[in-house]
Amino acid sequence: MQEAEELIVEALSSYGIPPAASRNLIQRARRRSGLGDRPSDWVRLAEGPLLAEIQNIIPVFSGGGAYAEAVARLKAMVRQGVTDPQAQAPRAVRPVDLSDPAERERLLAELAREEGVTGVALIQSGRAEMRYPGVSQALPRLLFAAHQLVARRRGYRVAYLVVKEAQVFLRPLGEYVVAVVTKRGANLGRLLARLAELSVEGGQG
């Protein structure tokens, strides 16, 4: 489950473990454990096989700090019943016509009203439409760069990232990227499902 993996990779980066090395550790632990891809499997992985893999290279690693926080978030995902949006079947689909300025404004307003959301942006290359009071105009460029990095590594439907005290959700839709920034306690399951159901009119995205 991509959002679970990103949580762990982000946590391990605070210990100086590069993302590529973190993903290798995760893949090795998953292969050896035989665990599946449900949130509960990721909790068991993080508390057992993966912890052992990390301690092989960092013997003093105790699983505290940022790693413990990531495990807590995984447990919250289990409680909230989060599943991988790509695995849901049937998946609800909501077509949106992003060529229509009124439709873009309506989508931004709807997402901005979701509980825990602090800002929303609809980004198209170098320009953006935002509902994000007081934020730097440089933020859309940073969010678009994050989208490009994730998309270059693997195709994705909804990406979930943890940045300092915020959660960032990215949803590519045709030529646009929808970016939603929330507080750390926001409901992961609802926002992942909400973004996953969006589809560009005509079947793209």
Side-chain angles (χ1 to χ4, degrees):
M1 197 166 83
Q2 183 177 343
E3 59 270 26
E5 181 176 314
E6 294 300 332
L7 269 175
I8 295 171
V9 169
E10 176 70 21
L12 293 179
S13 69
S14 68
Y15 298 96
I17 302 177
S22 296
R23 294 183 207 288
N24 286 336
L25 286 170
I26 291 168
Q27 289 170 9
R28 187 157 60 240
R30 290 191 67 196
R31 281 197 305 270
R32 291 179 176 177
S33 68
L35 289 168
D37 203 31
R38 297 170 301 179
S40 57
D41 291 324
W42 280 91
V43 171
R44 287 194 289 272
L45 183 81
E47 291 185 327
L50 179 57
L51 185 59
E53 290 287 345
I54 298 167
Q55 288 171 337
N56 282 337
I57 60 172
I58 309 177
V60 297
F61 186 82
S62 64
Y67 190 83
E69 183 180 342
V71 174
R73 294 299 298 143
L74 291 173
K75 290 179 177 178
M77 290 163 67
V78 174
R79 291 193 300 271
Q80 294 167 3
V82 175
T83 57
D84 186 340
Q86 298 191 58
Q88 295 176 4
R91 183 196 297 133
V93 176
R94 181 203 161 174
V96 290
D97 180 7
L98 297 181
S99 66
D100 181 354
E103 181 80 356
R104 295 198 301 271
E105 178 63 24
R106 186 159 47 246
L107 178 62
L108 287 170
E110 289 177 5
L111 292 173
R113 287 195 295 267
E114 290 286 336
E115 184 177 357
V117 170
T118 55
V120 184
L122 190 56
I123 308 165
Q124 185 186 39
S125 298
R127 63 190 185 88
E129 298 168 54
M130 292 194 294
R131 285 290 189 93
Y132 206 147
V135 76
S136 166
Q137 293 300 310
L139 182 64
R141 292 196 298 274
L142 295 175
L143 292 172
F144 193 75
H147 151 71
Q148 290 178 312
L149 286 172
V150 176
R152 190 155 41 235
R153 189 170 64 242
R154 69 172 90 175
Y156 75 94
R157 188 172 184 83
V158 181
Y160 166 69
L161 310 169
V162 177
V163 183
K164 293 185 179 178
E165 297 305 314
Q167 297 175 153
V168 178
F169 299 81
L170 300 171
R171 172 69 170 106
L173 287 174
E175 298 178 355
Y176 289 86
V177 176
V178 179
V180 179
V181 182
T182 77
K183 300 174 183 175
R184 288 290 285 268
N187 189 314
L188 288 172
R190 175 171 174 77
L191 284 164
L192 288 168
R194 181 78 177 78
L195 291 170
E197 72 181 10
L198 298 175
S199 176
V200 175
E201 280 196 351
Q204 300 178 33

